[in-house]
Amino acid sequence: MGLRQASAHERTAVAALESIGRTLTTAMVGIKALTDHLGSDEAFARSVVDAVELIGESQGRVVVSGVGKSGHIGRKIAATLASTGTSAYFVHPTEASHGDLGMVTSQDVLILLSWSGETAELANMLTYAKRFNVPIVSICANRDSVLARNSEVPIVLPKVQEACPHGLAPTTSAMLQLAVGDAVAIALLERRGFSAEDFKTFHPGGKLGAQLRLVRELAHEGAQMPLLQTGRPMSEALIEMSSKGFGVVGIVDDTGKLVGVITDGDLRRHMSGDLLQQPVEAVMSRNPRVIRGDVLASGAMEFMQQHKVTVLFIVGDGGAPVSILHIHDLLRAGVV
């Protein structure tokens, strides 16, 4: 590459970085404006709370709609609501006008998105909603618009600068719509006490699904567990440790409670000529770290990393081992 070409490339790179920086700064300013609006505009704050209450009390589903970039944002809002326990789906306004309005009932709530509030494609949905008493939550930036004036709950966003230098491409405005939609979805999640276990029901696949699995679903039970009772010689402990392949053996007392474990490290610390003749309780580490079966896989991984262990026994209410979990079980499940 010649000097002239290299110089032009550098100027292009600098210009791109400056543009990216301006866009990110504009986005940050937009989010701050929205946060400030929540604290300073009583009507806006009340409308967001009213939207949460209206949807939370609804007996039906949430139907989200919008056109263009607002439509894309609406799809994301509907997906977030659905994945966090609020039954929701997206309907395109054009499809709604050609029969899909039949899916909307008076038990449902409509969320309609339009930055201007004057989107012509939403007119038929507004008419239908008024005719059949379907409540509307609107997300727009014009309190005097047709959409806001015909909504039970108009969420009116603050006017913000678009990242587009011409002020035309919806960028910051779309981000604000999404932020409000996500905020409403999370408020609804917390309102109904939606738990991690509930989350798992809606996210069975991928890394997130793996993280939400319980450790008892991944652990090894019964004869697969390396266990010995107190009083047994270390020679048996070595055989048990080697045959089960976990690099550890659990030691239980006469009641079946786990009282210790023997690891490779314990063997090295007690290496002597009579090691194989010693009782297991003379070598074991007492008060071993254990875990419950209803802990999430992601929590088990965090626990293992925090305490620098690769194997955990899962114990029941009485402290008896019910299964064993290796870090490789978590890795195979895709937790990391």
mmCIF file of all heavy atoms in Angstrom, residues 2 16 35 41 44 51 54 61 76 111 148 167 170-171 253 259 285 308 335:
data_model
loop_
_atom_site.group_PDB
_atom_site.id
_atom_site.type_symbol
_atom_site.label_atom_id
_atom_site.label_comp_id
_atom_site.label_asym_id
_atom_site.label_seq_id
_atom_site.Cartn_x
_atom_site.Cartn_y
_atom_site.Cartn_z
ATOM 1 N N GLY A 2 0.624 2.182 -0.945
ATOM 2 C CA GLY A 2 1.414 3.395 -1.027
ATOM 3 C C GLY A 2 1.100 4.349 0.108
ATOM 4 O O GLY A 2 0.116 4.194 0.840
ATOM 5 N N ALA A 16 -14.516 7.166 10.774
ATOM 6 C CA ALA A 16 -15.461 6.144 11.221
ATOM 7 C C ALA A 16 -15.535 6.103 12.739
ATOM 8 O O ALA A 16 -16.622 6.007 13.323
ATOM 9 C CB ALA A 16 -15.059 4.775 10.672
ATOM 10 N N THR A 35 -34.457 8.792 31.301
ATOM 11 C CA THR A 35 -34.398 8.591 32.753
ATOM 12 C C THR A 35 -34.806 9.862 33.491
ATOM 13 O O THR A 35 -35.571 9.815 34.464
ATOM 14 C CB THR A 35 -32.980 8.172 33.168
ATOM 15 O OG1 THR A 35 -32.596 7.000 32.442
ATOM 16 C CG2 THR A 35 -32.917 7.872 34.652
ATOM 17 N N ASP A 41 -41.254 14.276 34.848
ATOM 18 C CA ASP A 41 -42.570 14.406 34.207
ATOM 19 C C ASP A 41 -43.547 13.437 34.881
ATOM 20 O O ASP A 41 -43.525 12.240 34.634
ATOM 21 C CB ASP A 41 -42.456 14.108 32.716
ATOM 22 C CG ASP A 41 -43.734 14.473 31.960
ATOM 23 O OD1 ASP A 41 -44.809 14.019 32.366
ATOM 24 O OD2 ASP A 41 -43.629 15.199 30.950
ATOM 25 N N PHE A 44 -45.732 11.282 32.531
ATOM 26 C CA PHE A 44 -45.000 10.184 31.906
ATOM 27 C C PHE A 44 -44.815 9.028 32.882
ATOM 28 O O PHE A 44 -45.075 7.872 32.556
ATOM 29 C CB PHE A 44 -43.642 10.674 31.406
ATOM 30 C CG PHE A 44 -42.763 9.580 30.871
ATOM 31 C CD1 PHE A 44 -43.058 8.955 29.673
ATOM 32 C CD2 PHE A 44 -41.642 9.166 31.579
ATOM 33 C CE1 PHE A 44 -42.243 7.940 29.172
ATOM 34 C CE2 PHE A 44 -40.826 8.155 31.096
ATOM 35 C CZ PHE A 44 -41.134 7.538 29.891
ATOM 36 N N ALA A 51 -49.524 1.520 32.541
ATOM 37 C CA ALA A 51 -49.380 0.471 31.526
ATOM 38 C C ALA A 51 -49.076 -0.868 32.182
ATOM 39 O O ALA A 51 -49.645 -1.903 31.800
ATOM 40 C CB ALA A 51 -48.267 0.849 30.545
ATOM 41 N N LEU A 54 -52.344 -2.024 33.861
ATOM 42 C CA LEU A 54 -53.346 -2.434 32.877
ATOM 43 C C LEU A 54 -53.014 -3.815 32.308
ATOM 44 O O LEU A 54 -53.883 -4.701 32.234
ATOM 45 C CB LEU A 54 -53.417 -1.405 31.749
ATOM 46 C CG LEU A 54 -54.369 -1.735 30.587
ATOM 47 C CD1 LEU A 54 -55.816 -1.823 31.086
ATOM 48 C CD2 LEU A 54 -54.244 -0.683 29.488
ATOM 49 N N ARG A 61 -54.230 -11.385 26.237
ATOM 50 C CA ARG A 61 -52.847 -11.299 25.792
ATOM 51 C C ARG A 61 -52.494 -9.859 25.412
ATOM 52 O O ARG A 61 -53.375 -9.009 25.293
ATOM 53 C CB ARG A 61 -52.629 -12.226 24.597
ATOM 54 C CG ARG A 61 -52.845 -13.694 24.905
ATOM 55 C CD ARG A 61 -52.946 -14.520 23.639
ATOM 56 N NE ARG A 61 -54.094 -14.133 22.825
ATOM 57 C CZ ARG A 61 -54.380 -14.671 21.644
ATOM 58 N NH1 ARG A 61 -53.593 -15.596 21.135
ATOM 59 N NH2 ARG A 61 -55.446 -14.275 20.975
ATOM 60 N N LYS A 76 -39.581 -6.977 19.001
ATOM 61 C CA LYS A 76 -38.679 -7.256 20.124
ATOM 62 C C LYS A 76 -39.408 -7.116 21.460
ATOM 63 O O LYS A 76 -39.223 -7.928 22.371
ATOM 64 C CB LYS A 76 -37.482 -6.296 20.065
ATOM 65 C CG LYS A 76 -36.605 -6.270 21.318
ATOM 66 C CD LYS A 76 -36.016 -7.628 21.673
ATOM 67 C CE LYS A 76 -35.009 -7.521 22.804
ATOM 68 N NZ LYS A 76 -35.574 -7.047 24.086
ATOM 69 N N ILE A 111 -50.590 -2.735 22.368
ATOM 70 C CA ILE A 111 -49.483 -1.791 22.486
ATOM 71 C C ILE A 111 -49.141 -1.342 21.070
ATOM 72 O O ILE A 111 -48.708 -2.147 20.240
ATOM 73 C CB ILE A 111 -48.244 -2.420 23.152
ATOM 74 C CG1 ILE A 111 -48.544 -2.820 24.601
ATOM 75 C CG2 ILE A 111 -47.078 -1.433 23.120
ATOM 76 C CD1 ILE A 111 -47.352 -3.419 25.332
ATOM 77 N N ALA A 148 -52.013 9.055 20.516
ATOM 78 C CA ALA A 148 -52.000 9.353 21.953
ATOM 79 C C ALA A 148 -53.399 9.717 22.452
ATOM 80 O O ALA A 148 -53.827 9.274 23.523
ATOM 81 C CB ALA A 148 -51.018 10.484 22.246
ATOM 82 N N GLY A 167 -31.064 13.622 10.801
ATOM 83 C CA GLY A 167 -32.238 13.579 11.663
ATOM 84 C C GLY A 167 -33.381 12.779 11.091
ATOM 85 O O GLY A 167 -34.540 12.980 11.473
ATOM 86 N N PRO A 170 -34.524 6.583 12.045
ATOM 87 C CA PRO A 170 -34.862 6.344 13.456
ATOM 88 C C PRO A 170 -33.747 5.562 14.146
ATOM 89 O O PRO A 170 -33.492 4.405 13.813
ATOM 90 C CB PRO A 170 -36.151 5.520 13.384
ATOM 91 C CG PRO A 170 -36.692 5.769 12.018
ATOM 92 C CD PRO A 170 -35.496 5.961 11.139
ATOM 93 N N THR A 171 -33.070 6.198 15.053
ATOM 94 C CA THR A 171 -31.965 5.567 15.793
ATOM 95 C C THR A 171 -32.199 5.734 17.295
ATOM 96 O O THR A 171 -32.654 4.812 17.957
ATOM 97 C CB THR A 171 -30.617 6.181 15.360
ATOM 98 O OG1 THR A 171 -30.739 7.613 15.364
ATOM 99 C CG2 THR A 171 -30.230 5.719 13.965
ATOM 100 N N ASP A 253 -20.677 -41.750 57.135
ATOM 101 C CA ASP A 253 -20.670 -42.421 58.435
ATOM 102 C C ASP A 253 -21.743 -43.501 58.468
ATOM 103 O O ASP A 253 -22.375 -43.806 57.440
ATOM 104 C CB ASP A 253 -20.854 -41.412 59.567
ATOM 105 C CG ASP A 253 -22.183 -40.653 59.487
ATOM 106 O OD1 ASP A 253 -23.091 -41.110 58.740
ATOM 107 O OD2 ASP A 253 -22.325 -39.622 60.160
ATOM 108 N N VAL A 259 -19.362 -37.176 55.476
ATOM 109 C CA VAL A 259 -18.548 -36.532 56.516
ATOM 110 C C VAL A 259 -17.190 -36.089 55.999
ATOM 111 O O VAL A 259 -16.440 -35.393 56.698
ATOM 112 C CB VAL A 259 -18.361 -37.471 57.722
ATOM 113 C CG1 VAL A 259 -19.685 -37.692 58.442
ATOM 114 C CG2 VAL A 259 -17.738 -38.800 57.296
ATOM 115 N N SER A 285 -10.556 -35.099 53.895
ATOM 116 C CA SER A 285 -10.801 -33.709 54.277
ATOM 117 C C SER A 285 -12.224 -33.628 54.828
ATOM 118 O O SER A 285 -13.177 -34.034 54.169
ATOM 119 C CB SER A 285 -10.665 -32.786 53.062
ATOM 120 O OG SER A 285 -9.355 -32.779 52.578
ATOM 121 N N LYS A 308 -12.617 -23.092 43.635
ATOM 122 C CA LYS A 308 -11.549 -23.817 42.931
ATOM 123 C C LYS A 308 -11.662 -25.329 43.124
ATOM 124 O O LYS A 308 -10.702 -26.017 43.474
ATOM 125 C CB LYS A 308 -10.174 -23.318 43.380
ATOM 126 C CG LYS A 308 -9.909 -21.851 43.029
ATOM 127 C CD LYS A 308 -8.533 -21.414 43.494
ATOM 128 C CE LYS A 308 -8.210 -20.020 42.973
ATOM 129 N NZ LYS A 308 -9.168 -18.994 43.429
ATOM 130 N N VAL A 335 -23.047 -24.845 29.760
ATOM 131 C CA VAL A 335 -23.254 -23.771 30.728
ATOM 132 C C VAL A 335 -22.293 -22.627 30.479
ATOM 133 O O VAL A 335 -22.619 -21.457 30.693
ATOM 134 C CB VAL A 335 -23.093 -24.308 32.173
ATOM 135 C CG1 VAL A 335 -23.185 -23.175 33.186
ATOM 136 C CG2 VAL A 335 -24.151 -25.356 32.447
#
